[in-house]
Amino acid sequence: MNKTYLGELEELILTMVGILKEEAYGNAIVQEVQSQLERKLNLSGVHVTLYRLEDKGLVKSHMGGATNERGGRRKRYFELTSAGISVLHSLQEQRLKLWNLMPELKMAGL
Amino acid sequence: MNNVQPPKRITNLLEWVCPNYLFEGIVGDLEEQFYDDLEVMSVKRARRRYWWNTLRFIRPGILLRNNAKLNIINTIMVRNYLKTAGRNMAKRKLFSFINAFGLSIGIAFYILIYLFIMDEKSFDQFHVNKDKIYRLEEMAYDTWQNNPEEPYNYSAYLQTGLGPVLKDEVSQIKYAARFNPDNQGIVSFGDKVFTESLSYTDPDFFKMFSFPLIAGNSDGLLTDKYQVVITPEVANKYFGTQDALGKVLKIDNYGEHEYTVAGIIAQPPANSSLQFQILLSQSNRPYYDRNMENWSSFSTPTFVQLVDNADMTSFEDNLAKLVDKYMQKSLKRARERVSIPEGMTVFKYQYTPLLDMHLNTQVSWTKSSDPKYSLILGGIAILILIIACINYISLSLTTSATRKTEVGVRKAIGAQRSQLISQFALESVILAVTSMLIGLALMFVFLPAFNEFTRKEIALSFGIILQIAGLGFALAVVIGLLSGFYPAFFLSAFKPSQVLKGGFTTKMKAGFTKPLVVLQFALSAFLIISSVIMYQQMEYITTKDLGYNQEQILVVPTQMGWSEESNKAVERMRTRLSQDPDVVGVAGTSLSFNQGWSKYGYTINEEQKSAYVFAVDPYYIDVLNIEMKEGRNFDPAISSDTSAVVVNEALVADMGWENPTEEYLNWREDTVGLGAKVIGVTKDYHFLSLEHAIEPMFLSMDKKEVGYLTQMLIKFKPGSLAGSVDKMQSIWNEMSPDKPFDYTFLDQDVAKQYASHKRWMSIMGLSTLFAILISCLGLFGLAGINALNRTKEIGIRKVFGAELSNIFVLLNKEYVFLAIIAFALAAPLSWYVMQMWLEDFKYGISMSWQLFALSMAVGLFIALVTVSYHAIRTAYINPAETLKYE
């Protein structure tokens, strides 16, 4: 089976979908990244990344119910698929494994 | 807050490009963000942010999702399309080749012309100060011609004294430089002696123009009278690999001096209006001091650079003030002397921006050209390209009929019409790109010849190649799509059920190609007729009896300057060669043929007259075999002959003399004496090119008033000219070893007068070749369609006993008809254009009907040969083959 490789933004947004659970839609992700990491993302970038993750089968989406706020438009909610969850798991494992292989880390100059 | 709405327009744009299923979710998020923004910022800023955020959604990640499904199918099918296209081309190698080749020729021609026009436009663009530099010019009432349509003379040659006063008296001028190119002088260093072209200019030249200085300091260059600035080429010629700076060159321009090389300046590029090899200070020009004082002598082109944001109105006012200050007296005299209509400006300074100089036709310059050439060539190029495209379509159509079955099968297994269209369009683009590659190769092959024809030096730098490749590719794609369009629609419209059942015939509606074939044939006919006429005229000119003998004559400048020494040099050479059995005679003259002329104006009996004048010696008339009509030649034994004149018939007619040999020509307006005695009359001969009528002219031996013999004409016996140059070289070296030996052949000098016409003839010849080739291809295509459409008809005719020849005539008579229409269109047009061209020559051929008939016969023959291929092929098909389905 082909291994799935993810870009930095893809990985971040996949993680965000996992964190936000039922509330994961474009704008919520932008706001969450802003408040957690103080990092500004552009909405269009988030959307495109979400669609790409969907193409890769890591997330799936559905439309929510009608709202009164946003001009009456529905939200497109995203959630992790099992493939998405397993990718998140393996990412975490890989990182830990590599981290453990690292000799004691010293800050340069200290 | 709800009454504030996000901007509508940008939302609509997004809706238009965005896939429907994504749109709602995206816009919802955008609007949510907008309302969030409204809480913390102004409405204006929030709207701007919304606008920007929305715009960011127009990106490939969104756009390409629009037809993602279609994309997948296409990428699978494209490979199949490519394979089919390749197989189809391979199956009909000749046809594909012809089709691609026609377009290649069109593209090659188009790119060549494009290069030509780009080069014309690039003239003088490399100067940093190009927008601030102007050439000053004079506009003067023409007192000689009295032409009411154009009463003024325009010239870039101004008073020598003007340059220095400009900077002081016109506040808008920052720099001023006089620039006299193309003066001859003898340059020597050690034993290296050559005749070179000298240019005279001022120190400001180096500040105004951006010719890079390779060595030396641009400040104060040429402020010293005996400094010289040379190009690397000249430095290399005299000093080889040694450092040229500080070396001393001897330069002889009417007096020899030593000049120190103070700077080395880059050779001007080919697209520079100013050309030079050796730059000297203006003060070295002959008669400089005299000319500085004389405000009615015009000999010096002058360039100025204006200050930033100069006020042009006050600039013009200041120029007008200069006229009042320096020229008032002479202008007043002119008004008194000749009747100039009241209120007519007699003299005015005007100017032309440096960048307009090259294409300026009003004021002549050594290296300028007429923009109409670019226009004509551009027109021909576009026409040829259009015709090539049309041919491409009709040729595609002829081959497409054989692909009916393929279309049927594709449709039957579910191909949609749009897919078929894109398939055929793709094929067409592939073929077009192939043609472009061949076309580029052709262009490389033709470029040297093209450069020679147009006397350009277009070099292909990497940047230009890139540009051409880009242009060619764009052309190929556009042409491919445009011309693939019609066949694509035509083919994709077949009904599979009918096609696959068999026996389905379709008439290709190629009616629109007929007028186009007429058009392209008319163009070819026009070019054929023009070429034939141009060729005949050139033939006429080169063989016409000019009234003197131009064969076997070597022209050698005396290199002694404008002085008595020159006359003595001619005499010495005559004595030296008098024993040589190969030499018929040696004559001297002030100007040989095609070296220019001088003309004097004089008033006799209150009538303004003018005549050309040449200084000669008594041997001139004999050496050139000029026939005398009356009287006698100059006689060296009669001393009074030095002030006498020999005139031509035209002058006699102009003066209205009955007995010319008893008359006096008072051309110096002598108030005391009678003037110069007329001792003889020559028959008219063409001392100027055949572009000019033979005008009044006289020959004189008067050194003081007419001039010195700076040119020797050495006539050799027939057959001995071949070795003469080497012999002359050694004689010259022994007689004047410190002067360069330059020579030309008189007949070549005379032929050179028509060089530009010859060049045009070549360009027309080339265009004709292209046009004929391309229109033959077009005709070939049309004939193919036609033959195909009538396959069955011909089958039936053959069954009923038609002969091969009958069918041949049947298929061909239409084209004869088309060709005749084309000729009927082209003949008057080419007659008109050629009439204009022939007007340049006072001695031209007359256009006879035979010429037109000949051209037409040639055209018809070519057309028939082209169409016969299809006619014969169709006529030979066994009727059983074509009729078996019925």
Side-chain angles (χ1 to χ4, degrees):
Chain A
M1 195 187 122
N2 285 340
K3 250 205 138 98
T4 315
Y5 292 102
L6 291 184
E8 191 267 342
L9 189 62
E10 285 176 326
E11 191 183 324
L12 174 67
I13 285 170
L14 188 65
T15 317
M16 279 306 173
V17 173
I19 292 171
L20 288 168
K21 285 193 174 157
E22 278 89 41
E23 274 307 307
Y25 66 98
N27 217 8
I29 292 174
V30 173
Q31 280 167 0
E32 191 67 12
V33 171
Q34 168 85 19
S35 64
Q36 297 290 342
L37 303 176
E38 290 181 16
R39 177 173 166 183
K40 267 197 149 147
L41 290 179
N42 186 279
L43 190 60
S44 67
V46 172
H47 270 261
V48 170
T49 312
L50 282 169
Y51 304 146
R52 201 154 56 222
L53 289 172
E54 195 172 9
D55 288 346
K56 289 181 179 177
L58 303 181
V59 298
K60 58 185 178 191
S61 68
H62 62 91
M63 300 304 285
T67 51
N68 283 332
E69 292 145 26
R70 26 194 282 151
R73 302 190 200 271
R74 294 176 296 164
K75 296 171 181 166
R76 178 175 289 273
Y77 286 109
F78 290 83
E79 57 184 305
L80 291 176
T81 61
S82 43
I85 294 169
S86 80
V87 163
L88 275 179
H89 271 297
S90 71
L91 276 173
Q92 185 61 12
E93 267 165 33
Q94 281 169 15
R95 192 143 305 161
L96 269 176
K97 191 174 159 196
L98 291 175
W99 186 256
N100 289 335
L101 288 176
M102 187 97 68
E104 208 172 324
L105 206 59
K106 275 187 183 164
M107 295 284 256
L110 282 177
Chain B
M1 275 299 158
N2 272 346
N3 44 3
V4 183
Q5 295 286 322
K8 260 257 149 48
R9 204 166 299 159
I10 189 75
T11 317
N12 290 342
L13 178 69
L14 182 67
E15 186 168 12
W16 186 56
V17 298
C18 176
N20 285 335
Y21 71 102
L22 293 178
F23 178 70
E24 191 178 352
I26 291 174
V27 172
D29 276 7
L30 280 168
E31 283 192 21
E32 190 179 326
Q33 217 173 40
F34 174 72
Y35 290 120
D36 285 352
D37 282 348
L38 274 183
E39 310 276 330
V40 291
M41 58 182 74
S42 71
V43 177
K44 211 171 154 190
R45 232 184 112 200
R47 288 175 80 95
R48 204 161 54 224
R49 267 180 58 113
Y50 178 88
W51 206 89
W52 175 234
N53 283 335
T54 312
L55 201 67
R56 292 279 292 266
F57 267 95
I58 302 174
R59 55 194 284 170
I62 301 287
L63 292 184
L64 292 181
R65 258 160 227 285
N66 225 341
N67 41 12
K69 266 190 189 153
L70 201 70
N71 267 352
I72 294 164
I73 293 173
N74 271 355
T75 40
I76 297 168
M77 291 307 288
V78 159
R79 283 173 68 183
N80 176 274
Y81 294 163
L82 288 176
K83 202 179 270 175
T84 322
R87 283 180 187 159
N88 257 305
M89 279 182 218
K91 204 155 120 198
R92 271 178 294 275
K93 286 189 193 73
L94 177 74
F95 236 91
S96 310
F97 176 74
I98 289 177
N99 200 350
F101 193 64
L103 199 55
S104 303
I105 293 171
I107 289 178
F109 196 75
Y110 186 82
I111 290 179
L112 283 176
I113 304 288
Y114 171 80
L115 285 176
F116 177 88
I117 293 173
M118 289 311 282
D119 187 70
E120 287 283 272
K121 285 197 160 173
S122 73
F123 258 75
D124 301 315
Q125 292 284 358
F126 57 92
H127 295 293
V128 178
N129 300 320
K130 58 189 178 189
D131 299 319
K132 285 177 263 172
I133 300 178
Y134 294 84
R135 177 183 65 187
L136 293 186
E137 292 145 4
E138 61 153 330
M139 182 185 102
Y141 185 79
D142 192 337
T143 51
W144 286 27
Q145 308 281 343
N146 271 325
N147 178 358
E149 273 170 39
E150 179 48 278
Y152 290 104
N153 246 335
Y154 300 89
S155 163
Y157 287 80
L158 303 175
Q159 298 97 332
T160 311
L162 179 69
V165 303
L166 280 171
K167 252 163 99 177
D168 299 335
E169 302 189 23
V170 182
S171 57
Q172 287 80 13
I173 291 178
K174 193 175 176 193
Y175 299 121
R178 297 165 288 176
F179 180 76
N180 281 73
D182 292 334
N183 297 274
Q184 287 217 331
I186 299 167
V187 179
S188 58
F189 178 75
D191 56 349
K192 287 175 182 152
V193 187
F194 299 102
T195 306
E196 300 282 1
S197 155
L198 309 176
S199 303
Y200 300 98
T201 189
D202 288 314
D204 277 356
F205 181 85
F206 304 98
K207 293 180 192 142
M208 293 164 64
F209 299 105
S210 309
F211 301 109
L213 204 62
I214 296 166
N217 184 358
S218 71
D219 271 337
L221 215 51
L222 294 190
T223 40
D224 181 14
K225 185 174 174 185
Y226 294 116
Q227 282 182 335
V228 59
V229 178
I230 56 179
T231 60
E233 211 169 79
V234 176
N236 194 36
K237 187 167 166 189
Y238 289 92
F239 310 116
T241 50
Q242 300 174 51
D243 184 17
L245 221 55
K247 290 270 188 320
V248 174
L249 280 174
K250 273 191 201 162
I251 299 178
D252 181 356
N253 56 337
Y254 301 100
E256 194 174 71
H257 272 287
E258 294 191 333
Y259 294 82
T260 314
V261 177
I264 303 200
I265 194 164
Q267 176 81 30
N271 57 359
S272 168
S273 296
L274 308 181
Q275 293 289 334
F276 52 83
Q277 281 103 44
I278 297 177
L279 287 165
L280 296 172
S281 159
Q282 272 281 335
S283 52
N284 292 302
R285 275 176 63 205
Y287 311 116
Y288 179 75
D289 295 330
R290 205 172 79 189
N291 281 335
M292 279 297 281
E293 301 302 318
N294 185 352
W295 281 80
S296 46
S297 161
F298 297 82
S299 62
T300 319
T302 305
F303 293 84
V304 295
Q305 180 179 331
L306 302 189
V307 295
D308 294 343
N309 307 318
D311 176 10
M312 296 313 270
T313 337
S314 41
F315 173 56
E316 282 165 29
D317 288 347
N318 284 335
L319 288 178
K321 275 182 206 151
L322 287 177
V323 178
D324 290 342
K325 184 169 172 188
Y326 292 98
M327 296 178 62
Q328 208 164 29
K329 252 194 210 156
S330 62
L331 292 183
K332 207 173 149 209
R333 249 201 330 268
R335 266 201 193 277
E336 282 161 7
R337 204 160 50 86
V338 261
S339 54
I340 295 172
E342 279 298 317
M344 201 69 140
T345 318
V346 185
F347 185 92
K348 197 184 124 190
Y349 287 121
Q350 59 174 35
Y351 52 86
T352 299
L354 179 70
L355 294 182
D356 298 344
M357 197 175 143
H358 179 61
L359 294 176
N360 185 328
T361 48
Q362 189 185 50
V363 180
S364 69
W365 186 252
T366 44
K367 208 179 173 185
S368 65
S369 72
D370 196 330
K372 98 179 160 209
Y373 293 168
S374 299
L375 277 178
I376 293 173
L377 282 176
I380 293 181
I382 288 176
L383 255 156
I384 286 187
L385 193 64
I386 290 175
I387 287 173
C389 293
I390 291 158
N391 291 344
Y392 186 74
I393 298 177
S394 58
L395 279 171
S396 306
L397 279 175
T398 43
T399 49
S400 59
T402 51
R403 303 188 56 183
K404 287 183 298 202
T405 328
E406 183 192 333
V407 172
V409 172
R410 279 185 191 274
K411 278 198 160 178
I413 56 175
Q416 281 167 5
R417 188 155 180 212
S418 64
Q419 285 176 305
L420 283 169
I421 290 175
S422 54
Q423 181 200 345
F424 288 114
L426 180 77
E427 258 178 53
S428 173
V429 169
I430 292 172
L431 201 58
V433 170
T434 318
S435 331
M436 179 209 68
L437 292 177
I438 304 175
L440 286 182
L442 278 178
M443 186 224 42
F444 276 103
V445 173
F446 280 123
L447 189 63
F450 185 75
N451 269 338
E452 209 177 307
F453 287 154
T454 53
R455 264 177 73 191
K456 287 217 167 283
E457 293 166 40
I458 299 170
L460 292 171
S461 69
F462 182 71
I464 293 181
I465 292 178
L466 217 64
Q467 209 179 345
I468 293 172
L471 177 78
F473 191 74
L475 265 177
V477 170
V478 170
I479 292 169
L481 283 180
L482 279 181
S483 53
F485 226 52
Y486 182 77
F489 272 99
F490 175 74
L491 277 172
S492 59
F494 290 139
K495 289 205 176 71
S497 57
Q498 283 179 329
V499 172
L500 293 178
K501 214 160 55 183
F504 169 72
T505 52
T506 171
K507 264 217 183 270
M508 270 176 283
K509 287 187 195 71
F512 72 100
T513 51
K514 248 181 221 173
L516 294 170
V517 161
V518 170
L519 178 76
Q520 55 185 275
F521 245 73
L523 178 79
S524 306
F526 167 73
L527 288 169
I528 291 175
I529 296 173
S530 305
S531 301
V532 168
I533 291 174
M534 281 173 127
Y535 178 78
Q536 286 233 332
Q537 171 67 16
M538 294 317 289
E539 192 65 21
Y540 170 78
I541 274 178
T542 39
T543 53
K544 182 175 163 47
D545 179 15
L546 298 174
Y548 63 92
N549 189 347
Q550 47 171 324
E551 312 290 329
Q552 304 288 330
I553 293 177
L554 206 59
V555 182
V556 182
T558 61
Q559 312 281 29
M560 290 294 177
W562 191 247
S563 71
E564 186 69 36
E565 288 303 310
S566 277
N567 288 38
K568 287 181 185 154
V570 177
E571 202 55 53
R572 275 201 304 277
M573 186 59 78
R574 181 166 23 247
T575 322
R576 173 69 178 74
L577 292 177
S578 58
Q579 301 306 317
D580 195 313
D582 287 341
V583 175
V584 179
V586 177
T589 178
S590 52
L591 288 165
S592 173
F593 297 83
N594 194 22
Q595 289 183 339
W597 43 264
S598 60
K599 196 175 185 181
Y600 283 87
Y602 45 89
T603 312
I604 289 175
N605 300 334
E606 314 215 319
E607 231 185 297
Q608 284 238 355
K609 302 214 179 270
S610 61
Y612 292 89
V613 56
F614 294 91
V616 297
D617 60 13
Y619 310 92
Y620 185 78
I621 288 176
D622 290 339
V623 164
L624 289 169
N625 293 355
I626 296 168
E627 276 183 67
M628 296 297 291
K629 193 175 167 231
E630 267 181 79
R632 60 180 178 85
N633 188 0
F634 298 104
D635 188 335
I638 304 171
S639 62
S640 66
D641 272 7
T642 50
S643 59
V645 292
V646 170
V647 302
N648 68 354
E649 289 173 282
L651 190 131
V652 172
D654 186 44
M655 298 298 290
W657 287 332
E658 297 280 331
N659 292 311
T661 45
E662 290 163 17
E663 299 281 353
Y664 289 84
L665 182 67
N666 194 1
W667 64 278
R668 297 204 47 235
E669 302 183 17
D670 195 339
T671 46
V672 192
L674 287 167
K677 181 166 173 43
V678 178
I679 55 170
V681 180
T682 68
K683 282 200 173 160
D684 277 342
Y685 66 95
H686 290 275
F687 54 92
L688 296 177
S689 79
L690 292 172
E691 290 161 304
H692 305 271
I694 297 179
E695 287 180 48
M697 184 240 19
F698 63 89
L699 305 171
S700 164
M701 300 212 299
D702 194 332
K703 284 176 235 165
K704 197 167 145 266
E705 298 300 337
V706 178
Y708 300 99
L709 311 175
T710 56
Q711 307 291 327
M712 298 186 245
L713 306 175
I714 305 169
K715 179 158 190 178
F716 289 84
K717 284 221 174 81
S720 64
L721 196 62
S724 66
V725 172
D726 289 339
K727 187 163 73 186
M728 281 304 301
Q729 172 87 59
S730 59
I731 292 174
W732 181 274
N733 286 348
E734 144 205 337
M735 287 175 72
S736 35
D738 56 332
K739 302 279 189 240
F741 172 65
D742 299 326
Y743 68 92
T744 50
F745 295 102
L746 185 61
D747 49 354
Q748 287 175 5
D749 288 348
V750 171
K752 259 192 212 137
Q753 296 174 323
Y754 312 110
S756 72
H757 294 294
K758 269 237 162 81
R759 238 176 13 250
W760 267 102
M761 192 177 79
S762 314
I763 292 176
M764 285 299 268
L766 192 72
S767 309
T768 311
L769 200 76
F770 275 126
I772 291 177
L773 251 173
I774 289 181
S775 45
C776 282
L777 291 179
L779 198 59
F780 191 71
L782 182 72
I785 296 177
N786 198 30
L788 218 65
N789 280 344
R790 298 173 77 170
T791 324
K792 270 192 189 160
E793 178 195 334
I794 287 160
I796 293 166
R797 278 176 193 272
K798 279 185 88 168
V799 169
F800 282 104
E803 292 286 321
L804 254 180
S805 58
N806 297 3
I807 289 165
F808 188 75
V809 170
L810 174 82
L811 282 174
N812 278 351
K813 69 176 180 213
E814 189 182 357
Y815 300 109
V816 176
F817 183 61
L818 287 184
I820 288 172
I821 295 178
F823 262 91
L825 287 174
L829 183 69
S830 46
W831 185 85
Y832 175 72
V833 172
M834 280 298 104
Q835 193 69 33
M836 288 205 302
W837 184 73
L838 284 173
E839 262 171 26
D840 277 355
F841 297 90
K842 283 288 179 300
Y843 298 87
I845 52 167
S846 53
M847 285 181 277
S848 59
W849 66 267
Q850 286 104 324
L851 269 181
F852 288 89
L854 175 76
S855 310
M856 180 160 172
V858 171
L860 253 181
F861 176 73
I862 296 176
L864 275 180
V865 168
T866 316
V867 295
S868 293
Y869 169 79
H870 288 295
I872 292 172
R873 217 183 59 151
T874 319
Y876 266 112
I877 297 177
N878 187 347
E881 292 279 326
T882 53
L883 297 178
K884 66 183 171 194
Y885 290 112
E886 295 297 312

